[in-house]
């Protein structure tokens, strides 16, 4: 079992709709959860991070964390063509060294006009 | 502006050659990381350093070496022992121990190819 799992996609969503990206993790003691966006040929850029159960909203983005079920999700409201990218989920586990973060393989999102 | 600078942007390696990728940060971060990304794949950790003069192997350290002589610099050498070096190399940093929940921030990457 991979430590951090994501559906590779592609996930195709019509413009203006809600895109829902999911991520599961294996380390039950994980503490910190991050979502990065990566455009083709570019480096990842941080979108959101979440530490506590529940929802965290930032503009059109909402991160949702459920530690009991070991999943974290990212919702993108009013999807725009510029949201088309690969989204990487990253998790800092309880047993990983002080600063080590584990990345999923990413979900490719395509917003169709 | 604070940030992470990677150079060069593109690099070509000949057979049997060692090449060094540069990573410099002016964020005053203690922790620095090197990742490798292959097409359509996620990030795999090569080496990381939590403090000056100390570093640890990641998941795919074979064929690579690093040094951390200065806080702001963490160069990666791809040695001739790395038989499949073609990939996108990413350097990242975060504040480090004591701030271990902080996210990592990335440089723009170096794309390495074999000639």
């Amino acid at each position: 079992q991979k430590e951090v799992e994501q559906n590779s996609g592609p996930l195709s969503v019509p413009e203006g709709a809600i895109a829902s990206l999911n991520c599961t993790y294996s380390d039950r003691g994980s503490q910190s959860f991050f979502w990065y966006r990566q455009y083709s040929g570019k480096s990842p850029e941080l979108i959101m991070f979440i530490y506590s159960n529940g929802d965290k909203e930032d503009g059109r983005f909402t991160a949702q964390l459920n530690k009991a079920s070991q999943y974290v999700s990212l919702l993108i409201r009013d999807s725009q063509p510029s949201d088309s990218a690969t989204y990487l989920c990253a998790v800092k586990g309880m047993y990983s060294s002080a600063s080590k973060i584990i990345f999923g393989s990413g979900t490719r999102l395509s917003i169709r006009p | 502006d604070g940030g992470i600078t990677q150079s060069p942007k593109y690099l070509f390696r000949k057979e049997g050659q060692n090449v060094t990728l540069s990573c410099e940060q002016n964020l005053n971060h203690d922790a620095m990381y090197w990742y490798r990304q292959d097409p359509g794949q996620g990030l795999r950790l090569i080496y990381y350093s939590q403090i000056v003069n100390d570093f640890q192997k990641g998941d795919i350290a074979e064929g690579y070496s690093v040094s951390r002589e200065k806080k702001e610099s963490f160069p990666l050498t791809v040695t001739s022992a790395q038989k499949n070096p073609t990939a996108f190399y990413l350097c990242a940093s975060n504040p480090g121990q004591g701030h271990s929940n902080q996210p990592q921030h990335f440089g723009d990457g170096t794309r390495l190819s074999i000639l």
Side-chain angles (χ1 to χ4, degrees), chain B residues 94-111:
Chain B
N94 74 358
Q97 288 185 341
H99 306 276
S100 57
N101 287 333
Q102 292 297 307
Q104 295 179 2
H105 296 274
F106 289 85
D108 289 339
T110 292
R111 201 165 294 278

Side-chain angles (χ1 to χ4, degrees), chain A residues 15-36:
Chain A
E15 185 175 354
I18 296 175
S20 177
L21 303 160
N22 299 312
C23 171
T24 58
Y25 58 94
S26 59
D27 182 352
R28 184 170 288 278
S30 294
Q31 301 168 341
S32 312
F33 307 85
F34 310 94
W35 282 102
Y36 288 83

Side-chain angles (χ1 to χ4, degrees), chain B residues 53-86:
Chain B
N53 292 322
D54 187 47
F55 49 82
Q56 287 81 40
K57 292 182 179 180
D59 301 316
I60 55 164
E62 187 174 346
Y64 301 97
S65 65
V66 293
S67 62
R68 186 84 187 277
E69 297 175 3
K70 298 188 296 182
K71 185 175 185 177
E72 52 275 16
S73 179
F74 190 40
L76 174 74
T77 296
V78 184
T79 74
S80 57
Q82 173 48 247
K83 298 306 179 188
N84 184 22
T86 297

Side-chain angles (χ1 to χ4, degrees), chain A residues 31-32 34 36 38 41-44 46 51 88 92 97-101 103-105, chain B residues 33 35 37 42-43 45 48 50 59 88 90 96-97 100-101 103-104 106-108 111:
Chain A
Q31 301 168 341
S32 312
F34 310 94
Y36 288 83
Q38 186 176 25
K42 302 295 186 183
S43 64
L46 181 71
Y51 303 142
L88 301 172
K92 182 186 175 304
S97 67
S99 309
K100 191 174 168 187
I101 295 174
F103 286 83
S105 298
Chain B
Y33 310 79
Y35 293 92
Q37 188 176 36
L43 278 61
L45 183 64
Y48 63 104
Q50 296 187 64
D59 301 316
F88 189 39
L90 289 157
Q97 288 185 341
S100 57
N101 287 333
Q104 295 179 2
F106 289 85
D108 289 339
R111 201 165 294 278

